[in-house]
Amino acid sequence: MPEKHNKSLPSYSSSYWREADTEKRFRPLEEDIEVDTAVVGGGIAGILTTYYLCLEGKKTVLIEGSSLLDGTTGFTTAKVTPQHDVMYDQLINNRGEEAAGLYYKAQVEAMAEIKELIHDLNIDCEHKAQNAVLHAGTEEGKKQLEKEKKAYDKLKIGSEFTSDSELPFQTKASLTMKNAFHFHPVKFLKPVINEIERLGGLIFENSTAVNISGGEPVQVKLRNDCTVTCEHAVMATHFPFDDIRGFYFSRLHPERSYTIAVKTNKEVPEGMFLGIDNPAFSLRHTEINGEKIALIGGEGHKTGKSSNTLAHYQNLADFTDKHFGIDKILYRWSSQDLKAPDNVPLIGPAITGRGNILTASGFKKWGMSNGMAAARLITDYIAGRSNSYAELFDPRRSHLQGEDIKNLAKEIMDDGKQFVASNVRGKEAEIDNLSIDEGAIVNINGKKAGAYRDSNGELHLVDPTCTHMKCGVEWNNAERTWDCPCHGSRFSIDGEVVEGPASTPLDKVNNDK
């Protein structure tokens, strides 16, 4: 009998890319060390920065709080293009044509560097040339794309504007940028990790950095009290873990988005598509065991501000089934991204007057090319070379204008509202009424606790106060985590840090009666 279609979502979140990460694990750092440079964060920005610094002859250590590639890099859609949503028109208006042109050029050069690295290291990472396509299904969206096309023309960006697309639903306009590509991010970075080792670089996993102190040299302190002494420290931790001095907690907007990998009845078209209407959906494909598999993404929202995160996956599934037909949903996964007020990443010296502490953050869902751009810029900075994009990405920039200022003010006000709302909750759930695989805020002996009942019926209890800045966390039923709605920290059912800026676990709670 033919196999029945299975349109149900997988029970647990799992990234297809991460299945390729079968290499050896690295031990934790359990002693004090001295190096030239400490890079904290094992995603694409941290790995590539470490690699290029090793090529410079710098004694470099790469430190990761969990496992390499276990953050956003391992849960991306891995579309590599300078077409980062609708942004060039706004960038011209807010920062001028020169800055907008530099941003485009930085992405093009980063893409070329990725392809050069693939060639030099003979990396088999399923690299495939694709067109990048923005599309709109509304008149308002069409007007946005018309303005974006004019911005492309000002910047001499090659593009094609049409009134339709290859998608199986009506579009009123599409804007195509050629010479983009997609690839397998884990397969791309695994050989780079091997090269770091060959070049003498040090790598440690399960080693959480919590603080940076000192002047020259700098001391990076780990949670286990070990210290890395270095000339330069790089925070490539997605959200800078030492975020107070640079006020990064008020400058970075954390957002979650969702992806499903689907075997479809109708073949998805070639290309990388992104809708600009609301809700917006993203589409690319990959091949699994020789079959073309659709990667459908979208449903973004601020971290900690969705009462039913599983519903976002279901919405993606409904969209896919309507337009392509679902044979089987193979994987589902989500990721977290950060956005600066002006939509330009923060790359370079993290703090005014402290040029030996650097950061790379705010890639706003486009971390593949921006991760490479960050690695090259930071390497140039540490090596004492000039870089054409240093001013554009400088984290210390203070020239926010117009909508950028409004975005910053909105973020600060929203954080304040979330702090109050998350600490003044309504009625808590009854702990005895929690079902299997259910999490909720409960009351234990007159105090709030975050409770989750696992498949064996065992309760996992934590203090629901985020260890970053004391906001109350919210239950994420899709990923089975506790998420902070203020600055995006995330914690496991037992309180361990899953996502920063928090670096300290949630306290555990006893259910003693």
Side-chain angles (χ1 to χ4, degrees):
M1 293 181 65
E3 184 181 349
K4 292 183 179 179
H5 296 332
N6 184 357
K7 299 180 181 181
S8 60
L9 291 165
S11 298
Y12 285 84
S13 179
S14 175
S15 167
Y16 165 64
W17 312 128
R18 295 284 293 134
E19 290 194 353
D21 185 21
T22 57
E23 295 294 305
K24 68 175 183 178
R25 300 266 60 96
F26 296 90
R27 71 174 180 89
L29 178 59
E30 296 176 328
E31 64 277 348
D32 296 343
I33 61 172
E34 294 186 13
V35 293
D36 295 330
T37 306
V39 179
V40 185
I44 186 169
I47 291 169
L48 291 177
T49 299
T50 303
Y51 169 71
Y52 286 116
L53 287 171
C54 287
L55 286 180
E56 294 283 338
K58 301 289 185 181
K59 184 179 181 181
T60 305
V61 61
L62 176 61
I63 303 167
E64 167 55 41
S66 56
S67 301
L68 298 182
L69 303 171
D70 200 28
T72 300
T73 298
F75 295 81
T76 179
T77 53
K79 298 187 293 183
V80 193
T81 170
Q83 190 183 61
H84 295 174
D85 207 332
V86 177
M87 70 161 291
Y88 287 98
D89 176 64
Q90 181 184 14
L91 194 52
I92 288 172
N93 290 335
N94 291 346
R95 295 191 61 176
E97 284 188 36
E98 182 180 0
L102 281 171
Y103 185 90
Y104 173 75
K105 186 179 177 184
Q107 307 309 313
V108 171
E109 288 188 7
M111 291 169 62
E113 295 273 9
I114 290 173
K115 289 191 280 189
E116 182 178 334
L117 195 53
I118 291 171
H119 176 269
D120 291 348
L121 299 184
N122 194 27
I123 300 174
D124 180 7
C125 59
E126 302 170 22
H127 171 275
K128 188 176 183 180
Q130 297 281 281
N131 289 339
V133 183
L134 294 175
H135 60 89
T138 65
E139 286 298 328
E140 182 181 352
K142 180 181 178 180
K143 290 177 181 177
Q144 277 189 282
L145 288 185
E146 288 172 342
K147 290 166 65 176
E148 191 73 355
K149 169 61 175 172
K150 290 179 181 177
Y152 283 15
D153 292 344
K154 284 182 182 179
L155 301 173
K156 296 181 172 55
I157 297 174
S159 64
E160 181 181 358
F161 184 93
T162 60
S163 58
D164 57 7
S165 72
E166 298 179 63
L167 295 167
F169 48 85
Q170 184 178 4
T171 55
K172 292 185 178 294
S174 64
L175 182 59
T176 300
M177 189 183 289
K178 297 183 178 181
N179 301 316
F181 62 88
H182 58 53
F183 66 172
H184 191 304
V186 174
K187 287 184 179 179
F188 167 64
L189 288 167
K190 280 170 58 179
V192 181
I193 293 167
N194 293 336
E195 276 297 293
I196 290 172
E197 285 195 285
R198 188 187 69 80
L199 292 167
L202 305 174
I203 302 175
F204 297 97
E205 294 180 315
N206 297 306
S207 304
T208 302
V210 297
N211 179 259
I212 299 178
S213 62
E216 297 181 4
V218 171
Q219 284 81 42
V220 179
K221 180 71 72 173
L222 305 190
R223 191 193 296 167
N224 64 1
D225 289 331
C226 290
T227 300
V228 180
T229 302
C230 51
E231 295 176 6
H232 290 88
V234 180
M235 294 185 288
T237 47
H238 199 45
F239 203 118
F241 64 91
D242 192 357
D243 68 313
I244 303 299
R245 285 178 290 181
F247 291 96
Y248 289 97
F249 62 87
S250 67
R251 299 167 60 198
L252 290 168
H253 172 86
E255 186 167 295
R256 296 203 65 73
S257 56
Y258 302 81
T259 300
I260 55 174
V262 186
K263 183 179 178 181
T264 55
N265 297 326
K266 183 188 298 184
E267 183 173 310
V268 297
E270 292 290 311
M272 306 186 304
F273 298 87
L274 179 62
I276 68 167
D277 301 309
N278 189 22
F281 295 95
S282 163
L283 169 66
R284 63 155 284 193
H285 69 273
T286 189
E287 288 193 5
I288 301 179
N289 298 324
E291 288 189 291
K292 199 172 187 181
I293 302 299
L295 302 184
I296 310 289
E299 288 287 309
H301 63 85
K302 186 175 181 181
T303 304
K305 293 191 70 174
S306 176
S307 60
N308 182 7
T309 48
L310 268 174
H312 299 292
Y313 285 115
Q314 190 59 56
N315 291 342
L316 292 178
D318 292 344
F319 170 85
T320 306
D321 198 33
K322 178 180 179 180
H323 297 294
F324 297 98
I326 291 177
D327 185 300
K328 186 177 182 180
I329 302 176
L330 303 175
Y331 301 88
R332 67 171 175 91
W333 68 84
S334 64
S335 62
Q336 187 146 307
D337 294 277
L338 300 168
K339 182 173 68 173
D342 61 357
N343 289 318
V344 175
L346 308 174
I347 305 168
I351 306 164
T352 300
R354 297 294 303 276
N356 55 354
I357 301 175
L358 300 103
T359 192
S361 186
F363 295 162
K364 67 184 183 72
K365 302 183 183 182
W366 301 102
M368 299 296 99
S369 57
N370 276 315
M372 173 61 85
R376 298 306 272 164
L377 194 160
I378 289 173
T379 300
D380 283 345
Y381 185 92
I382 291 173
R385 294 189 293 267
S386 62
N387 184 289
S388 302
Y389 312 110
E391 183 178 353
L392 172 71
F393 293 118
D394 193 335
R396 302 164 298 181
R397 61 185 183 265
S398 59
H399 49 256
L400 298 182
Q401 298 177 16
E403 288 299 315
D404 301 339
I405 295 175
K406 291 180 183 178
N407 290 338
L408 179 59
K410 182 180 177 182
E411 192 69 22
I412 293 172
M413 288 179 65
D414 185 66
D415 290 345
K417 290 178 182 178
Q418 289 302 317
F419 178 83
V420 173
S422 61
N423 283 286
V424 183
R425 303 175 189 265
K427 185 178 179 181
E428 293 90 4
E430 293 291 334
I431 192 169
D432 293 336
N433 293 337
L434 278 185
S435 302
I436 295 294
D437 197 27
E438 183 180 4
I441 300 296
V442 300
N443 189 300
I444 296 180
N445 301 324
K447 293 185 178 181
K448 294 171 186 173
Y452 171 72
R453 193 182 298 277
D454 66 24
S455 58
N456 297 318
E458 181 182 349
L459 281 170
H460 301 255
L461 300 172
V462 295
D463 183 333
T465 305
C466 179
T467 55
H468 175 233
M469 294 183 75
K470 306 304 180 184
C471 290
V473 297
E474 304 287 348
W475 178 243
N476 178 337
N477 62 333
E479 314 305 330
R480 298 171 177 86
T481 57
W482 295 102
D483 298 359
C484 176
C486 290
H487 308 112
S489 296
R490 301 176 59 237
F491 305 86
S492 73
I493 57 173
D494 291 316
E496 290 300 316
V497 177
V498 175
E499 191 103 31
S503 57
T504 303
L506 300 177
D507 291 333
K508 294 187 178 182
V509 173
N510 293 321
N511 188 20
D512 297 328
K513 295 184 178 179

